[in-house]
Structures are given as C-alpha cells and as structure tokens.
Amino acid sequence: MGLDAIRAALPEYANDIRLNLDATIGSSALTSPQTWGVALACAVTARNPVVLREIAAEALGHLGPEGVEAAKGAAAIMAMNTIYYRAKHLIGDERYASMPARLRMRIIARPGVDKGDFELWCFAVSAVTGCEVCLTLHEKKLRGSGFSREQLNDALRISAVVHAAAITLDAETALA
C-alpha cells in the first residue's frame, strides 16, 4: 500500500501531485530515513487520515519504530511551537520577543534519532504550517550543521507534495 494507495486515491485533476510523490519521496538528496521522516512528520501535520495512515505504514520500514515516534514527536512539538512563535512574530510588538515561552520541549534535547534528522523534520513541519520564525531558525541550524541547500530544498518539496495530497483528498471527501 503506502504511496501506491495515496496515488490511487488521488483524482485525475491531481495527476501532478501523483507524479510528484514519486519525484520527491522517490528521489531525494536526503537519506531514506530523512526522507521518510519528513514525509511522516508532514503527513501528521497535514492531518488527512489516508495520507497519514499510508505514509506511516511505509515509513516504518525506513525509520523503524523509534524513528516513527520521533517523526510524530517532531510534528507534535512543532504544532505547538509554530503557533506560539508565529503569533508572537505576527503581533509585531518586540516586547513579546523577550518573553520566555515557558513551554516544555524536552523531546528536542532527546528525540530518539539523530538530532540533525529531527531538526530537519521540524523544519519541514514549519514549512507546512507557514511559520517564518521557525523556518528561519531551523534552516540556520541545519545549514550550520552541514545540511546543503539542496537537501533542505528537497525537504521543502516533500512537504509541499505531502500537504497537497492531503488537501486534495480532504477536498474529495468533503465533496463526496
């Protein structure tokens, strides 16, 4: 099943998304665990049951149970962080920048996988949620730790395609 099930579920008008699933997840400058961690974290964030279930099933073989939990953890922590930091940024009052978050984020210190991979998955989720502050912070950390722009671009491409598949299937369900 996995990606095959998602491709089969996509309507004809979303053929570009179908093709891009293979072009992004199937061919990337990222390692297999990095690729599947990005896909899974973004599937959790996009919240479509079909996309999430199928990507999670296929990701298990590339990530193992610890990697699956870490990718879900990246999505969970970023669901909180992207709301908080994007809101502070959008308010536009610099006094909020000096206020501490006082939000627990222990998983970031001990994600259960390579910290660079976890950071990459957080970066990808930041793209889906549109948090400029988080995107900028994670991009800087990743570039500083040796990730190339090509790798980060591939993570963004995967994020975009997984999100597009989820949105399309949500629309089809709503219209059915």
Side-chain angles (χ1 to χ4, degrees):
M1 291 299 230
L3 293 181
D4 289 338
I6 296 169
R7 281 190 294 271
L10 288 168
E12 188 55 37
Y13 69 79
N15 190 48
D16 289 329
I17 305 309
R18 187 180 298 124
L19 295 171
N20 285 323
L21 279 168
D22 288 330
T24 59
I25 295 174
S27 176
S28 170
L30 301 170
T31 66
S32 179
Q34 290 168 342
T35 296
W36 283 97
V38 166
L40 180 54
C42 291
V44 170
T45 303
R47 299 181 285 192
N48 175 273
V50 173
V51 170
L52 177 54
R53 184 175 47 250
E54 297 302 333
I55 287 179
E58 197 161 337
L60 182 60
H62 298 271
L63 294 170
E66 296 85 7
V68 166
E69 288 301 302
K72 292 188 307 185
I77 197 72
M78 294 311 292
M80 177 180 67
N81 287 352
T82 58
I83 295 298
Y84 178 75
Y85 289 105
R86 184 177 59 223
K88 284 177 62 167
H89 174 73
L90 290 172
I91 290 169
D93 182 338
E94 291 181 22
R95 290 173 286 192
Y96 286 102
S98 65
M99 294 179 172
R102 292 196 316 260
L103 298 169
R104 293 191 183 270
M105 298 180 237
R106 295 183 306 174
I107 194 169
I108 293 173
R110 292 183 300 279
V113 295
D114 179 83
K115 286 186 180 185
D117 291 355
F118 188 82
E119 189 82 33
L120 179 70
W121 303 341
C122 291
F123 170 75
V125 170
S126 299
V128 173
T129 60
C131 181
E132 177 184 357
V133 173
C134 294
L135 267 171
T136 301
L137 172 82
H138 292 292
E139 192 273 345
K140 184 177 181 178
K141 282 185 179 180
L142 288 162
R143 293 283 297 132
S145 67
F147 279 81
S148 69
R149 284 183 177 86
E150 180 183 19
Q151 289 173 304
L152 299 184
N153 188 60
D154 280 355
L156 294 174
R157 292 172 63 237
I158 293 165
S159 302
V161 173
V162 167
H163 186 255
I167 293 294
T168 302
L169 293 180
D170 282 345
E172 286 301 303
T173 299
L175 293 170

